Structures are given as structure tokens and as C-alpha cells.
Amino acid sequence: MRLLVRLRARADAKYVHTYHHKLRGRLWGALENTDYDAVHDENEPKPFVYSNPFPPRDMEEGDERTLLVASPEEELLTHVASDLQSNRELNIGEMPFRVTDLSVLSPDVGEPGTSGTISTGTGVLVRIPPWRFSEYGIDVDHDQAEFWKPEHTMEPFVNQIEANLDRKHGLFCPEHLPGPSDVEGDLFNGYELIKTFALPVTPTEDERETWVLSKWRLDYRVRDDDHRRHLNLALDVGLGERNSLGFGFVNKQR
């Protein structure tokens, strides 16, 4: 499920591509004094992901933009919507907006037999843990997680996003249902890399790092109800890591 937020620029502004930290702060603020407060400091994937304010270009006063906030938990989106309704001023760093409209969407990849494409609206963060370097033939002079790059081949990318989604399935789906690693077949049957790029990121207030991200078009054919649930979970919580910073947000393209 996702919340569609219509925005109007309150002043001329340059588009800030490093919006993640500020927008995350507003969303966590909307969840303050709710049951989700306790989730903030847990070392687990968070139950939400969000798009960039799009289209991503400089704006003049009165220009319209759109923001999407996705979650597998309707209650979380209700808290966010309530906050945005009561305080319609939404400043994302140096980009000042006013919320003009809110609505709910429920995207679905389709019934078994359906084919389609999921595209990444924001960069996907995949890091390869050092204990898997030798398995993938990665020769680097450090023992910290390595950002995925095309020279590492597809195997670690596929393994990491599926393992990450499996972890989220354990957190956000009923315990008795099988996760991605419990079933036969791949999550996606086609991976088209659009680009990789480096981006400065503020993961916490006092940290500033450069992360390597990637954008994709991902083809699928829904095998059964379990596979459908796994793909729809990706729409709700994103692919890869650090989704609560806005990374790994995906859209059903067709």
C-alpha cells in the first residue's frame, strides 16, 4: 500500500538530490509518540520506503511535485497522512512545499501468470559482506562491506536483494507463509542495469559518506500466490538496504 502526496512548491528552488536525511526526519516525526517509535532504533529493516519528490528538476513557485510513501502496514501510512493533513508545510531541506492532496494506492503485480516489469524509482543500495568476498572472487584491500558494482557480476547482487527481502518477509508477513528463500524459482527473471552512480549520503546527523547505488528494470512472471506476495512486498518496503532513507523504492512499470 502507498500514500500518494501531491505537493506545490512554495518558492523557487534548486532540486536537492541529497534530500534523503531531511525527508526521513519528517516521516519519523509523523510517527513520534506512536507504536512505531520503538522501531526507530531497532537494527532491522523499517516498514516503509519512499520515492524522491518527482519529477526531479529545479522548480519555480507553484510547480507541482509528487511524493510516494509505501508500507506493508496501513496504520503507519495513516499516521503519516494525519501528520501531513494537520501540517501541510513540507520542507525537504532547501525545497519548500505545501501538501495539496493525499490519496491511497494499492499497486499489485497481478495474479499468477501475469508478466511485468518493476523499475527502481530511487537507487538500490547493495553491500556485499566481507565474509562472502572469497565466494564471489572479490579482491579488495579492506575488510568492510563492499558496494556492489557491475564488475562484481550479477550473482552477489541477486543473492543480496533476495536475502534482504527474505528478512523483510520474516518481519512483515505472517510467520506461517514461505519467504523468497523457501520456494523454488527466482524473484525476477530479467535484470536490466540502467546505471550505477555515487551519491553523498547523510546516514546519521554527524556522518556523511559516499555510497554506490544502482538503478534497474526488473522483469517478472508471477508463478503463484507466494511469488506474488514476495513481489508485492518489494513494492511496499523496497529492494536492498536502507529503505527508510528512501533507497530501493520501486514502481510497477507495466
Side-chain angles (χ1 to χ4, degrees), residues 62-197:
D63 282 355
E64 295 181 345
R65 294 293 183 269
T66 300
L67 172 69
L68 292 165
V69 183
S71 175
E73 301 186 6
E74 183 178 352
E75 183 182 1
L76 185 148
L77 294 178
T78 299
H79 288 308
V80 172
S82 177
D83 179 80
L84 294 176
Q85 284 177 325
S86 61
N87 181 7
R88 290 182 176 263
E89 186 175 306
L90 176 59
N91 298 322
I92 308 173
E94 301 301 315
M95 297 186 290
F97 295 107
R98 178 173 176 78
V99 176
T100 59
D101 189 50
L102 297 166
S103 56
V104 174
L105 303 174
S106 298
D108 190 310
V109 295
E111 297 181 358
T114 303
S115 296
T117 300
I118 284 175
S119 61
T120 56
T122 58
V124 177
L125 173 65
V126 167
R127 292 179 288 193
I128 305 166
W131 55 87
R132 303 200 74 171
F133 286 173
S134 59
E135 176 185 348
Y136 298 133
I138 296 173
D139 183 15
V140 292
D141 58 359
H142 62 79
D143 58 359
Q144 298 176 338
E146 174 79 358
F147 292 105
W148 182 86
K149 307 180 188 71
E151 58 263 33
H152 295 142
T153 75
M154 286 301 303
E155 184 182 6
F157 181 88
V158 171
N159 287 346
Q160 291 301 125
I161 64 166
E162 291 191 354
N164 177 273
L165 191 64
D166 203 54
R167 188 176 176 192
K168 294 166 183 169
H169 189 278
L171 290 169
F172 309 127
C173 294
E175 187 176 345
H176 68 280
L177 296 175
S181 67
D182 298 319
V183 300
E184 297 287 336
D186 296 327
L187 188 62
F188 299 105
N189 54 23
Y191 292 80
E192 180 187 350
L193 177 62
I194 299 171
K195 66 175 181 177
T196 56
F197 60 101

